[in-house]
Amino acid sequence: EYLAALFHQAPLQGSQKGLLEELTAIFQVARYSRALMTAADHHHVRNLTAELKRQLRQGKRSLGRKD
């Protein structure tokens, strides 16, 4: 529900939205499942987070440009 509200308020591009959805799905499994996260899972989350941050920073810079 929070993710849906966030998407309604924040204009995210398609790939940013997909990354955030994937991170949310992983969080839900990690939080509510009995399954343990592996080192590979942690690495994947770090990569997804870094990519999302990169895309958000890039989008912020492009918003400030005056062409």
Side-chain angles (χ1 to χ4, degrees):
E1 291 174 4
Y2 177 74
L3 195 57
L6 178 65
F7 289 155
H8 181 71
Q9 293 180 7
L12 298 176
Q13 297 173 357
S15 61
Q16 294 168 347
K17 185 176 179 180
L19 288 167
L20 195 52
E21 288 171 334
E22 187 173 355
L23 283 166
T24 300
I26 293 168
F27 170 79
Q28 288 176 332
V29 170
R31 176 63 178 97
Y32 300 109
S33 169
R34 292 180 184 245
L36 298 175
M37 289 190 66
T38 65
D41 294 331
H42 285 276
H43 183 71
H44 184 60
V45 167
R46 281 193 300 270
N47 287 340
L48 290 172
T49 303
E51 178 60 19
L52 181 59
K53 286 179 182 180
R54 184 192 67 75
Q55 288 187 20
L56 290 171
R57 275 191 231 111
Q58 183 179 0
K60 192 173 185 179
R61 280 194 300 265
S62 67
L63 288 175
R65 288 187 184 152
K66 295 181 181 178
D67 294 323

